[in-house]
Amino acid sequence: MKIKFFLAISILWIAGCSGQEVSSNKVFKEIALVNRIEFVNPKYDQPKFSCGFLIKYNNETFAVTAKHILKIIKPESMKTLSLEKDIKNWALYPLNNKSEMVICDKLLNENNSELLEAKSTYDNDWLVFSIKQNTSHIIPLEIRNTPLIQGEKLYVVGWTRTMENGPQRVYEFAYYKTISNRILLKDILVPEKFGGLSGAPLVDENGLLVGIVSNGTVDPESNKKFFSPCSVTNLVTFIENRKSDKQ
């Protein structure tokens, strides 16, 4: 009886550990970050909130995270997509090396007329920052420019809300379809709870960026809800237009 008891306990312990660490064996270079946000009112400060990453485009490097995270943590006075009055500093860092830091400069898609409570916040669910200082060894991602193929594997890289340290985790999905600027995915190896992955990069087999973790989308054909990162297509257009405006 004792042997059976200890065997049962061992199985439960292993299952519990596996449940906490379910992730893909796929390995990428260090690409994931988390946000550190300091508000003018320090009671709203977020020393670790959701995920982000760097992108390199036209020889410039930018910091990117999800726009909708502001809906969750903002003070009541913050109504529009403007950080100046409410947020003092925004930085990102790798959770497994907190001494490395990416200090953001300006929110490039700041928009005083865009209401944060509007449903359209999720349409282009990204914040893109210029960078003041980067002491991290994080690899900036390059953007994929070829179409996705149904069934191909895609990967989310980052940390969930309950993780306080350790290396970046990789989660596996299969591409299903794109609706507007939402990438619908089928689960393969995913965390039990997705909370905290908002703003994490969605990359292909070669580590090229295809999306930003956002929320879910209901497929009108099947009436089923899918995990659906936001496509980076409009982000690329925004960056390109910004460069044209500067010339």
Side-chain angles (χ1 to χ4, degrees), residues 144-189:
R144 172 165 161 165
N145 55 18
T146 56
L148 295 172
I149 302 168
Q150 190 174 69
E152 75 168 286
K153 282 189 178 181
L154 297 175
Y155 305 86
V156 167
V157 186
W159 297 269
T160 62
R161 184 180 297 124
T162 57
M163 296 171 182
E164 296 297 331
N165 50 50
Q168 62 188 16
R169 271 55 163 199
V170 179
Y171 302 105
E172 276 186 29
F173 301 83
Y175 173 65
Y176 176 49
K177 65 164 64 172
T178 298
I179 298 178
S180 185
N181 60 341
R182 312 298 300 197
I183 301 170
L184 277 59
L185 303 176
K186 293 183 178 181
D187 298 352
I188 299 179
L189 287 171

Side-chain angles (χ1 to χ4, degrees), residues 53 65 107 141 173 222 239:
F53 55 94
T65 187
L107 176 62
L141 295 170
F173 301 83
S222 63
I239 293 173

Side-chain angles (χ1 to χ4, degrees), residues 22 61-62 64 67 82 86 116 128 140 155 164 180 207 223 225:
V22 170
T61 301
F62 306 92
V64 177
K67 187 194 301 180
S82 178
D86 295 283
L116 288 174
V128 54
Y155 305 86
E164 296 297 331
S180 185
N223 204 34
K225 190 171 186 178

Side-chain angles (χ1 to χ4, degrees), residues 75-214:
E76 184 62 30
S77 60
M78 191 174 178
K79 304 291 185 183
T80 65
L81 187 58
S82 178
L83 309 187
E84 187 176 347
K85 293 180 181 178
D86 295 283
I87 293 179
K88 187 166 56 174
N89 294 299
W90 197 306
L92 301 94
Y93 63 93
L95 194 58
N96 58 334
N97 196 338
K98 299 174 184 179
S99 64
E100 296 186 4
M101 199 66 62
V102 178
I103 308 296
C104 296
D105 190 8
K106 295 180 180 179
L107 176 62
L108 301 178
N109 61 317
E110 191 162 32
N111 185 348
N112 286 309
S113 64
E114 181 176 349
L115 295 174
L116 288 174
E117 292 302 328
K119 290 183 179 179
S120 59
T121 299
Y122 289 99
D123 292 344
N124 291 302
D125 195 4
W126 38 266
L127 300 175
V128 54
F129 295 90
S130 56
I131 296 173
K132 183 183 296 183
Q133 183 180 356
N134 181 7
T135 61
S136 80
H137 294 91
I138 294 298
I139 305 297
L141 295 170
E142 296 188 5
I143 296 167
R144 172 165 161 165
N145 55 18
T146 56
L148 295 172
I149 302 168
Q150 190 174 69
E152 75 168 286
K153 282 189 178 181
L154 297 175
Y155 305 86
V156 167
V157 186
W159 297 269
T160 62
R161 184 180 297 124
T162 57
M163 296 171 182
E164 296 297 331
N165 50 50
Q168 62 188 16
R169 271 55 163 199
V170 179
Y171 302 105
E172 276 186 29
F173 301 83
Y175 173 65
Y176 176 49
K177 65 164 64 172
T178 298
I179 298 178
S180 185
N181 60 341
R182 312 298 300 197
I183 301 170
L184 277 59
L185 303 176
K186 293 183 178 181
D187 298 352
I188 299 179
L189 287 171
V190 302
E192 184 178 345
K193 295 182 179 179
F194 283 80
L197 283 172
S198 292
L202 175 70
V203 299
D204 69 7
E205 190 78 24
N206 298 311
L208 295 174
L209 180 69
V210 298
I212 304 161
V213 172
S214 179

Side-chain angles (χ1 to χ4, degrees), residues 4-18:
K4 289 183 178 178
F5 174 77
F6 285 119
L7 179 61
I9 293 296
S10 298
I11 291 170
L12 287 172
W13 182 82
I14 292 169
C17 291
S18 299

Side-chain angles (χ1 to χ4, degrees), residues 34-90:
V34 295
N35 296 289
R36 189 191 75 182
I37 309 165
E38 296 179 43
F39 285 79
V40 172
N41 184 340
K43 83 172 187 177
Y44 294 101
D45 284 357
Q46 303 292 331
K48 168 189 162 285
F49 195 83
S50 292
C51 296
F53 55 94
L54 303 180
I55 62 170
K56 186 174 183 180
Y57 193 80
N58 287 337
N59 296 318
E60 286 188 272
T61 301
F62 306 92
V64 177
T65 187
K67 187 194 301 180
H68 79 263
I69 66 174
L70 289 174
K71 298 164 79 80
I72 303 168
I73 59 174
K74 73 179 185 67
E76 184 62 30
S77 60
M78 191 174 178
K79 304 291 185 183
T80 65
L81 187 58
S82 178
L83 309 187
E84 187 176 347
K85 293 180 181 178
D86 295 283
I87 293 179
K88 187 166 56 174
N89 294 299
W90 197 306

